[in-house]
Amino acid sequence: MSQKFAAPKGMNDLLPPQIEIWQVLERTARELFGTWGYSEIRTPIVEDTALFVRSVGEVTDIVSKEMYTFDDKGGRSITMRPENTAPAVRAYIEHGFAQQPVTRWYYLGPMFRYERMKTGRYRQFYQLGAEAYGSADASQDVENIALAWHYLKAIGVQHVSLHLNTLGDSSDRPKYLEALKAHFAPHVGTFSEIAKETFERNTMRLLDTKDEALRSLVESAPSLSEFVGEAAKKHFDEVKALLTALGIPFVIDPKLVRGLDYYTRTTFEFIYEPPAGDNALGTAGTVCGGGRYDNLVHELGGPEKPAVGFAMGLDRLVLLMEALGKRPERRPVLFVATMEGELKVHAVKLVTDLRAQGLSVDFDPRGGKIKRQVERAAAVKARHFFVYGQAEHEARAFKIKNMDLPDGDPAKEVTVPLDALAAWLLNAAQAAPVTP
Ligand code: AMP
């Protein structure tokens, strides 16, 4: 008996034609990030559970509720990576890169979080991230932010704005937490159960709660900026000045605390702020989040090495590109209709030769009536079409039809000799590139 299956909930098959957008995003990333001096790393999909507990933080949503954790056959607790900053730091220390002055890495791959699903929020999703280790200077923060900014520009998404904040140094944090707790404490009795738990476990996260009942209380909460020490303040001023010098606009967002424990000083997000009526991302508007994490390398057993990085949500960028109609069309430059017998062998050989020369050429392996093969050529949006028949074989020349021109157009049909075919097609393909 046969049985049908569906992909696991919240995990998507990435298929044609949408995969073309993924490929553009990936190709652009590799080119741009490479140019900016970031090298690719690929770490395992799973890590020791303790790595995430230690780095992301025990009381964060990710660690307390969202991780895919299991015991492997050897009884070790393993977790499917919910993010890639901690695995990157683990690798950076493990393989001795922490001995080098400056290291810049990027990664691209699937992450896993057991989340409540909605538009732009999945359980397997893809992040493109960039991490820079070794410098505490503001120019390193700004380089990292500028890379994200230029990437978003390169892929052509619009209406994305940069939100910026500073969390101060970790030594500034206890005083602020005290003030925050004092602010919320008198009202905890009126909180929802979830808000109560957040108050108890991770008070700072109340600042970016979606709970409307808490809105005015959050508005009047003390601002972290009042508690930021002189050194972190100066650093933040430098970051802002440099961004301004680079012409990168930003808004200061004092409530931007981010969900991971390891951040210090600069934090930032790129948020999609859609024009009225556009709902491409629903409420999942953050396309990129990042910041400085100056203590993490040391906390994971390495030397004192400041670092800064970001992670971009590729699923959300694909949704945006799709909404903008930015899906590249991959069109074969030629479709060859085949006859049966020996002629089919010649036709398949020609198709294979042309493909080997880098030309996108298609045919229908089922063969059959020419009319049906023409329909197939139209379905795959081939630009040109010809029949490999006996007469063509003997004349060593093909009557090429331009599928984009109407019947009766004088340029609809041209005859091209076999010897000139590849060059002719190459010219036609270059005149209409397959990617934007
Ligand atoms: P984070 O690692 O939580 O800072 O997330 C960085 C970026 O990854 C976010 O801004 C999103 O664009 C993306 N992201 C995070 N979680 C998800 C998810 N569950 N589904 C899709 N994208 C996500």
Side-chain angles (χ1 to χ4, degrees):
M1 224 189 40
S2 70
Q3 190 184 354
K4 252 188 174 168
F5 295 94
K9 245 184 154 184
M11 303 194 176
N12 299 313
D13 294 313
L14 310 178
L15 306 170
Q18 203 198 42
I19 197 78
E20 300 282 351
I21 302 178
W22 286 90
Q23 290 176 344
V24 169
L25 293 185
E26 291 169 8
R27 206 164 35 234
T28 310
R30 291 187 198 293
E31 269 169 30
L32 189 77
F33 286 40
T35 306
W36 284 55
Y38 286 69
S39 305
E40 185 181 0
I41 58 157
R42 301 185 191 186
T43 61
I45 297 287
V46 294
E47 297 276 351
D48 279 347
T49 301
L51 174 67
F52 299 112
V53 175
R54 183 68 210 250
S55 56
V56 175
E58 201 154 4
V59 296
T60 57
D61 285 354
I62 293 180
V63 170
S64 63
K65 300 184 218 153
E66 296 170 357
M67 295 207 303
Y68 282 88
T69 297
F70 57 94
D71 286 346
D72 70 6
K73 301 249 185 272
R76 299 176 75 196
S77 182
I78 292 284
T79 291
M80 291 167 75
R81 60 185 189 192
E83 58 99 61
N84 216 155
T85 296
V89 170
R90 196 258 315 130
Y92 170 78
I93 298 164
E94 185 176 340
H95 301 288
F97 284 85
Q99 309 325 318
Q100 298 181 5
V102 175
T103 301
R104 295 185 181 98
W105 281 350
Y106 79 87
Y107 58 80
L108 200 165
M111 310 295 152
F112 303 84
R113 294 182 196 171
Y114 195 82
E115 296 221 57
R116 294 246 303 281
M117 288 163 309
K118 50 186 181 183
T119 307
R121 189 176 294 286
Y122 310 109
R123 289 179 177 170
Q124 175 171 338
F125 59 98
Y126 292 78
Q127 282 186 339
L128 162 64
E131 318 281 351
Y133 311 93
S135 170
D137 196 78
S139 61
Q140 185 62 85
D141 306 43
V142 171
E143 175 203 87
N144 195 249
I145 295 170
L147 173 57
W149 163 259
H150 279 277
Y151 178 72
L152 292 168
K153 257 174 90 166
I155 61 170
V157 301
Q158 290 158 347
H159 310 297
V160 171
S161 64
L162 168 60
H163 289 229
L164 201 62
N165 191 20
T166 179
L167 298 183
D169 286 308
S170 45
S171 53
D172 303 332
R173 207 72 59 83
K175 270 178 278 157
Y176 178 60
L177 267 179
E178 222 173 89
L180 209 54
K181 283 205 155 122
H183 174 75
F184 287 113
H187 310 275
V188 170
T190 66
F191 282 14
S192 70
E193 283 311 309
I194 295 178
K196 262 184 205 157
E197 199 190 321
T198 311
F199 173 78
E200 294 299 335
R201 290 166 67 96
N202 197 352
T203 316
M204 261 167 80
R205 286 315 301 271
L206 282 176
L207 296 181
D208 61 5
T209 177
K210 302 270 182 301
D211 189 339
E212 278 300 310
L214 294 181
R215 183 190 279 259
S216 67
L217 208 51
V218 168
E219 296 281 323
S220 59
S223 174
L224 182 51
S225 55
E226 297 155 33
F227 293 79
V228 170
E230 279 313 308
K233 219 179 245 165
K234 181 166 168 282
H235 179 84
F236 196 45
D237 286 342
E238 285 168 9
V239 167
K240 289 185 282 188
L242 255 170
L243 282 171
T244 305
L246 296 189
I248 298 178
F250 56 86
V251 287
I252 300 297
D253 185 347
K255 301 282 187 287
L256 183 69
V257 290
R258 316 246 326 112
L260 299 88
D261 271 4
Y262 48 63
Y263 287 111
T264 52
R265 298 197 168 185
T266 318
T267 55
F268 58 93
E269 286 188 350
F270 285 88
I271 301 178
Y272 183 57
E273 279 154 5
D278 172 345
N279 200 25
L281 292 187
T283 54
T286 304
V287 294
C288 174
R292 218 171 228 297
Y293 48 96
D294 288 344
N295 304 324
L296 187 58
V297 174
H298 187 57
E299 274 167 23
L300 294 181
E304 293 283 352
K305 281 278 178 180
V308 56
F310 66 76
M312 217 172 265
L314 289 181
D315 307 74
R316 293 180 189 178
L317 294 180
V318 168
L319 288 176
L320 282 186
M321 303 271 286
E322 200 147 50
L324 287 168
K326 283 182 182 284
R327 180 193 292 161
E329 263 199 325
R330 198 169 271 282
R331 297 180 63 186
V333 69
L334 173 69
F335 192 101
V336 179
T338 62
M339 314 290 275
E340 289 307 310
E342 197 56 25
L343 283 172
K344 183 156 181 179
V345 176
H346 291 303
V348 171
K349 183 168 181 312
L350 176 64
V351 167
T352 309
D353 285 349
L354 293 171
R355 284 175 169 174
Q357 292 176 66
L359 291 158
S360 174
V361 179
D362 201 1
F363 76 109
D364 188 340
R366 298 168 307 167
K369 290 202 177 79
I370 296 301
K371 182 165 170 283
R372 220 189 58 190
Q373 295 193 52
V374 176
E375 283 165 10
R376 182 70 198 149
V380 299
K381 299 200 171 101
R383 294 180 192 281
H384 303 94
F385 172 90
F386 66 68
V387 182
Y388 197 114
Q390 187 62 37
E392 285 80 5
H393 183 63
E394 282 167 15
R396 295 177 64 78
F398 303 97
K399 270 186 244 146
I400 301 180
K401 282 200 169 67
N402 185 324
M403 303 279 287
D404 293 334
L405 295 177
D407 286 340
D409 189 304
K412 175 85 185 166
E413 193 171 288
V414 289
T415 300
V416 178
L418 175 62
D419 294 344
L421 184 62
W424 189 91
L425 290 171
L426 198 63
N427 199 27
Q430 275 165 358
V434 288
T435 50

